[in-house]
Amino acid sequence: MTRQPTLQTARLALRPFRTADAGQVQFLAGDRAVADTTLNIPHPYEDGIAEKWISNHRDWFERDEQAVFAVTLKSDGTLVGAVGLRIEREDDRAELGYWTGREYWERGYCTEAVRALLAFGFGELRLNRIYACHFSRNPASGRVMQKVGMTHEGRLRQHSKKWDAFEDVEVYGILKGE
Ligand SMILES: CC(C)(COP(=O)(O)OP(=O)(O)OC[C@H]1O[C@@H](n2cnc3c(N)ncnc32)[C@H](O)[C@@H]1OP(=O)(O)O)[C@@H](O)C(=O)NCCC(=O)NCCS
């Protein structure tokens, strides 16, 4: 697939990011509470980081490396978060990642977006397995994984180092057809 589609759910449109989203990405992902439980979001979130990240998306999608979607409200277009798959094509597998801006937490947006992304991954992207990891101290992320039907596969003790502290990590996975 060469062109990234927009995915529709009841309340959300998952669309490719645009350069014009950079300000809102910096605002939402620049929140320390969002960076704190993710591996890849820097803090502070300096000017230009969002633009650079967004500028990579098209190439990543065309090269079958990543599919990153902006999670937006159908009602008024507001960008509330991001979901993505990091594709490991040799194994027809991908790692799922996501964040929601703090002011939009606990409204079911991430769960709704991830359900659509899993369908896209197993459908259009023909994946066989999708997995995801969260810090053990981040149960909200674990709830999302449980709600979308992923299976808890294990705990990797002190697997990651975040801001100089070792973090236990929970691993979840789901297979095509599950
Ligand atoms: C994890 C995150 C993406 C969830 O986004 P969201 O849009 O609020 O998710 P949803 O509303 O779909 O679901 C959140 C669930 O977590 C639950 N939850 C929230 N805080 C919780 C806590 N401290 N303990 C247990 N469950 C919790 C909510 O109640 C909800 O479950 P429910 O529907 O059964 O009540 C969001 O908190 C976030 O962006 N965190 C910072 C970045 C991050 O951690 N990303 C994931 C890295 S693995």
Side-chain angles (χ1 to χ4, degrees):
M1 193 182 301
T2 51
R3 195 163 169 282
Q4 185 175 352
T6 292
L7 314 178
Q8 306 281 345
T9 71
R11 296 179 295 170
L12 307 171
L14 275 57
R15 60 157 176 80
F17 274 95
R18 307 168 183 142
T19 315
D21 296 323
Q24 175 77 342
V25 168
Q26 183 177 21
F27 174 68
L28 296 177
D31 185 337
R32 197 175 192 286
V34 171
D36 176 53
T37 48
T38 54
L39 270 185
N40 301 322
I41 299 180
H43 194 79
Y45 201 98
E46 309 278 6
D47 289 349
I49 293 176
E51 284 84 352
K52 182 158 192 334
W53 180 61
I54 291 167
S55 75
N56 285 321
H57 290 181
R58 184 195 290 244
D59 276 355
W60 286 342
F61 190 84
E62 287 175 357
R63 290 197 215 119
D64 205 24
E65 290 173 1
Q66 288 195 44
V68 185
F69 289 88
V71 178
T72 67
L73 304 185
K74 272 182 171 174
S75 55
D76 62 3
T78 305
L79 169 63
V80 301
V83 292
L85 293 170
R86 188 185 298 269
I87 300 161
E88 299 163 72
R89 183 53 76 187
E90 194 168 282
D91 297 303
D92 287 337
R93 180 179 74 198
E95 181 174 5
L96 164 70
Y98 45 74
W99 55 264
T100 304
R102 183 161 29 167
E103 60 196 282
Y104 305 105
W105 285 2
E106 296 196 37
R107 299 189 200 174
Y109 290 148
C110 186
T111 303
E112 189 169 321
V114 168
R115 282 203 178 102
L117 186 63
L118 293 181
F120 177 72
F122 289 125
E124 281 84 341
L125 294 182
R126 305 177 322 280
L127 297 169
N128 178 61
R129 165 178 166 80
I130 296 174
Y131 69 102
C133 303
H134 71 82
F135 293 159
S136 303
R137 65 178 168 84
N138 183 17
S141 183
R143 275 300 295 152
V144 172
M145 294 174 198
Q146 290 158 14
K147 287 193 289 178
V148 301
M150 300 178 84
T151 297
H152 184 245
E153 297 179 333
R155 169 175 301 174
L156 305 177
R157 295 173 305 150
Q158 301 191 13
H159 187 66
S160 296
K161 191 156 83 172
K162 175 78 182 185
W163 294 341
D164 291 329
F166 292 108
E167 299 273 359
D168 291 350
V169 169
E170 309 295 330
V171 183
Y172 281 73
I174 185 167
L175 306 180
K176 186 173 166 172
E178 281 186 347

